[in-house]
Structures are given as C-alpha cells and as structure tokens.
Amino acid sequence: MVPEPSPKLPITLLIIARNEAAAIGRCLDSVPFAAEKLVIDSGSTDGTQEVCRQHGARVVHQDWLGFGPQRNFASTQAQHDWILVLDADEALSPELAAEIQQRLPQLMQSSNAGAILRRQTWYMGAPMRWYRPMVGERMGRLYHRGRARWTDVRVHESLRFDGPTPTFEHPFIHLNNPTLVHKQLKTLRYAELKARDWLDRGKPVQMWMTPLVYIAAFIKDYLIRLAFLDGWRGYVVSQTAAAYAVYKRMRYYEMQRNPESRDMAAELLHGYGLDP
C-alpha cells in the first residue's frame, strides 16, 4: 500500500548550501510536511541546484555573505513566517518529523518565538554515544522570523529569540563530515572566518595563550564532555577540536603580521569552493 502524503503545514524548510548534491536530497525528503522547501545556494558547481529542484525545493542564488548574514538573508526569502532550518548534511528523524507535525499547529498559535531541537551526531560512520556536544545537543532551529534573528557573525552563528522556546523531545540527525579530510577542509574555512571576525573587532593577539588553549580545549572535550567514553573516536574528536582552537589563533596572528596572506588564503579556499 502506498503511504498517504503528509498534510502540508505553513512552514518553510530553509537550507543554505554550496556543492551539497550528494547529501541535500536526503535532507529535503526528511521534511515532507513543509509547504515550502527553500535552498539558498551560493554558487554550486556540482549540480546541487538541480538536485534540489528534483526534490521539490525552490532555489535562490545569493553570493556568500558569511553564515549569520546568509541565514538572515535566507529568512527574508521564505514564503512563511515559521521557518525550520537544517544543514544539507542533517535530516529529521521520523520520530521528530511526527512530533513536529503534531505540535507545530499549537506552537504557531502561541506567542512563542520558536523551539529548541536536539541533534544526534554520527561520526566516523556511527552515532556518538557519550560525547556531550554530539549527543542531544540543544540548538535553535525552528522559529518565527519576526521573533528571532541569527547573530551577524561569519561563523558559529546562533539564533537569538525574543520570546519563549519550548524544547522538542526527539532528535534530528547530523551526518558529520563523511571523512577527516572533509573535516580538515571545513576547519580551515571556519578558522579563516573566525579570524576575520576577530580582525573586524580588533581582538588583541595573544599567542602566549596558545599552548594553554590546546590543553584546556582537549581536557574539556576528552574528560569533562565525556569523549573518552566513545573510545578512539572520542580521542580523535577531542584532538581535532583542540587543534582547531589553536590553529585559528595562529592564523589570526599571521593575518596581523602579514596582511597579504588574507587575500592569498581566500583565493586558495575559493578554489576548493570554501569561500571565507
């Protein structure tokens, strides 16, 4: 028997993407109840736009503005005030999809600004079981665009709500970086974005703190956040996080000492489709 299609709800599924053809179809299909599926594409060259259209999405082009500004621009393009944001490598679990369909009508009639969702991360081909940032991580992803706004930063953006935000029970799924190669490329881009934010704010260079930052970041993730209970995968994720904490500070120091490196690095990253 062919299952009946899900009734549509007046909400926009919103995704910002570039070169996500391999993953984005799964993401779009996981939200069958959204009346609109909207993808803001910043210049894909791998056929992402066509994949999105095949899965029922409307595609709008916008040159890359940085994560926060890109998401705020995207909110203005939606046809509905209520918005669900996912990344291309994320998807609703069937349980969360059913919960949203059940609770969303009441949420829309309330004065709530949005809702908090929990994220379950898969790492190296399996779900993490203990590492706290990857098990039930609380994230603002469902919101009324008149009562919430993304922070205007280039990376590590977050939603700022103007009103109550209940929490949904079931998680959505994050297939985190299919390989460590993908992770390292993303780390280079995120570090570049963070360093440019620091430049805008005139943050002091404090290279003397770098060794302490590495130790503190590794201990926080490996011990305090329980990564050690996930075995060697926990070690890898802790080491990667600590290395990122150090690298972005070294890169910021280089930007200050050798300003020409900013354009050189941006050109190199652009060649990999990773515009800072």
Side-chain angles (χ1 to χ4, degrees):
M1 180 181 296
V2 178
E4 294 184 7
S6 299
K8 301 298 183 182
L9 295 173
I11 186 171
T12 295
L13 167 63
L14 189 57
I15 305 169
I16 61 172
R18 180 175 180 181
N19 291 339
E20 296 285 1
I24 201 165
R26 175 179 179 267
C27 178
L28 290 165
D29 291 346
S30 75
V31 193
F33 55 83
E36 180 189 33
K37 299 178 182 181
L38 173 62
V39 176
I40 306 300
D41 185 87
S42 54
S44 294
T45 57
D46 67 344
T48 293
Q49 303 95 325
E50 183 57 33
V51 172
C52 292
R53 295 185 184 102
Q54 291 173 357
H55 288 264
R58 177 167 64 95
V59 180
V60 173
H61 174 81
Q62 171 59 50
D63 291 340
W64 184 244
L65 302 171
F67 280 98
Q70 192 84 352
R71 293 197 193 277
N72 283 324
F73 167 80
S75 293
T76 69
Q77 302 302 300
Q79 293 178 355
H80 302 283
D81 286 334
W82 282 93
I83 295 173
L84 170 65
V85 166
L86 292 175
D87 291 336
D89 60 354
E90 298 171 342
L92 296 189
S93 65
E95 295 81 6
L96 179 57
E99 183 182 7
I100 290 178
Q101 289 179 86
Q102 179 183 8
R103 296 179 61 180
L104 191 59
Q106 182 179 359
L107 183 68
M108 289 178 166
Q109 294 173 9
S110 73
S111 60
N112 290 337
I116 303 298
L117 305 184
R118 303 180 187 274
R119 185 168 74 170
Q120 169 72 57
T121 296
W122 284 55
Y123 188 71
M124 291 188 171
M128 297 293 274
R129 299 296 186 188
W130 294 96
Y131 177 51
R132 289 179 177 177
M134 292 186 175
V135 179
E137 180 182 14
R138 292 165 51 86
M139 309 188 79
R141 291 300 189 86
L142 179 60
Y143 61 99
H144 186 291
R145 63 180 169 187
R147 305 168 195 162
R149 180 177 174 81
W150 295 91
T151 52
D152 281 313
V153 293
R154 291 186 175 92
V155 69
H156 304 316
E157 74 288 2
S158 61
L159 266 177
R160 294 291 182 262
F161 293 103
D162 184 18
T165 51
T167 298
F168 281 42
E169 178 182 355
H170 298 289
F172 66 101
I173 308 302
H174 180 208
L175 299 178
N176 183 269
N177 301 304
T179 71
L180 282 176
V181 176
H182 292 80
K183 174 63 176 177
Q184 291 305 311
L185 288 173
K186 182 181 288 187
T187 294
L188 289 174
R189 184 192 189 196
Y190 281 15
E192 200 73 11
L193 292 166
K194 191 64 178 178
R196 288 172 182 265
D197 273 344
W198 286 344
L199 276 172
D200 291 345
R201 301 201 325 254
K203 178 183 172 71
V205 176
Q206 297 175 313
M207 280 295 292
W208 63 271
M209 291 185 61
T210 300
L212 301 176
V213 165
Y214 181 91
I215 294 170
F218 184 85
I219 289 175
K220 179 179 70 174
D221 279 334
Y222 194 64
L223 296 178
I224 299 174
R225 291 179 167 176
L226 306 181
F228 72 95
L229 293 175
D230 278 304
W232 284 114
R233 290 187 304 147
Y235 171 81
V236 172
V237 77
S238 301
Q239 194 279 335
T240 302
Y244 167 66
V246 169
Y247 174 76
K248 64 186 176 183
R249 287 166 172 81
M250 295 191 301
R251 177 66 183 122
Y252 180 53
Y253 170 71
E254 182 183 33
M255 283 184 176
Q256 293 277 43
R257 185 174 178 83
N258 180 19
E260 292 182 0
S261 71
R262 304 171 196 174
D263 291 339
M264 295 168 63
E267 182 178 355
L268 181 61
L269 288 169
H270 178 75
Y272 285 94
L274 303 171
D275 290 321

